Amino acid sequence: MTNTPRALPPTRWELAGERNRGYGETFAQRVAEGADVDGEARLVDALAPRGARILDIGSGMGRVSAALRARGHRVVATEPDPALRAQSEATYPDLVVLPHEALALDPSEVGPFDLVAVVGNVMVYLGEDTERRVLERVRELLAPDGRAVIGFHLTALKAGSRTYPADEFVADATAAGLRVVHRFGSYELHEPNDEYAVWVLEPESGPGQA
């Protein structure tokens, strides 16, 4: 399962420690109260073929993966944080979650995927200077006609997160062999803004290319 030729630095999420411990519990409470927490999953579902093979990187407490499974997709969830995996198991006991970071996933063992989701601010909590490597791994995990959905706050707002400007992300994605197909300001497809970005990407040699 692992493919880590270089040691992985600690993620910003890990370094934030206890400051992020309420995330899983907060969303579990919202699920229990019947709140709508499926915004990301609805967009991913709309972009994927029926019964798609989908990878959810940084699946957190499992809400996106669970919603996609309920829509008939074949989902592989991966979350390195033990506390979030425990919350996921408690909230969605039928959802299997791998304990791997993105860079520890071996494409030859787990890929390819019709769609890779990297939502919930995962990109702004990666280890320092690993963003481009993670995007390269996303490309390697995609089927030739696959797509990725990536969403994050452009400006650091929460404990331990980084500011990741849009132009820097596009440069990293391009260097990783990914092409920006769409950019939105939310999972409900609002116009792009300076606060939050939702990107749809495909491999540079994807169906939109000659």
Side-chain angles (χ1 to χ4, degrees):
M1 183 67 67
T2 58
N3 184 6
T4 53
R6 290 179 282 176
L8 299 178
T11 65
R12 293 179 177 86
W13 181 269
E14 290 177 280
L15 294 174
E18 292 301 317
R19 292 180 291 169
N20 284 324
R21 281 294 167 245
Y23 170 83
E25 292 85 348
T26 297
F27 272 102
Q29 182 63 32
R30 293 181 65 186
V31 170
E33 294 170 351
D36 177 16
V37 295
D38 291 354
E40 299 100 323
R42 280 193 295 271
L43 178 58
V44 171
D45 176 59
L47 291 170
R50 298 306 84 195
R53 194 160 190 266
I54 297 175
L55 174 64
D56 184 6
I57 293 178
S59 58
M61 55 78 66
R63 60 189 178 85
V64 175
S65 288
L68 290 170
R69 285 188 63 201
R71 289 163 169 80
H73 298 292
R74 295 166 291 152
V75 180
V76 175
T78 179
E79 172 54 61
D81 186 310
L84 288 176
R85 289 200 308 276
Q87 185 65 63
S88 180
E89 181 178 356
T91 308
Y92 306 107
D94 294 333
L95 178 67
V96 177
V97 182
L98 302 177
H100 306 295
E101 294 183 31
L103 291 173
L105 294 170
D106 188 335
S108 67
E109 294 185 11
V110 299
F113 292 92
D114 300 303
L115 194 144
V116 174
V118 192
V119 296
N121 279 320
V122 170
M123 290 300 299
V124 294
Y125 280 109
L126 298 175
E128 186 173 359
D129 296 326
T130 65
E131 293 86 356
R132 191 169 292 188
R133 290 170 60 193
V134 168
L135 290 168
E136 290 172 350
R137 184 55 47 86
V138 168
R139 175 182 52 77
E140 293 165 352
L141 288 160
L142 283 171
D145 59 348
R147 290 190 283 187
V149 176
I150 299 178
F152 56 90
H153 280 97
L154 298 168
T155 302
L157 294 176
K158 301 183 179 180
S161 65
R162 63 158 294 192
T163 293
Y164 199 177
D167 56 352
E168 182 179 345
F169 173 78
V170 171
D172 286 344
T174 300
L178 293 166
R179 184 177 73 92
V180 175
V181 181
H182 300 291
R183 174 187 170 184
F184 304 107
S186 74
Y187 293 100
E188 290 74 38
L189 309 188
H190 290 99
E191 292 187 6
N193 58 65
D194 295 330
E195 296 181 4
Y196 198 89
V198 176
W199 312 85
V200 180
L201 310 172
E202 66 180 27
E204 193 62 52
S205 58
Q209 300 296 297

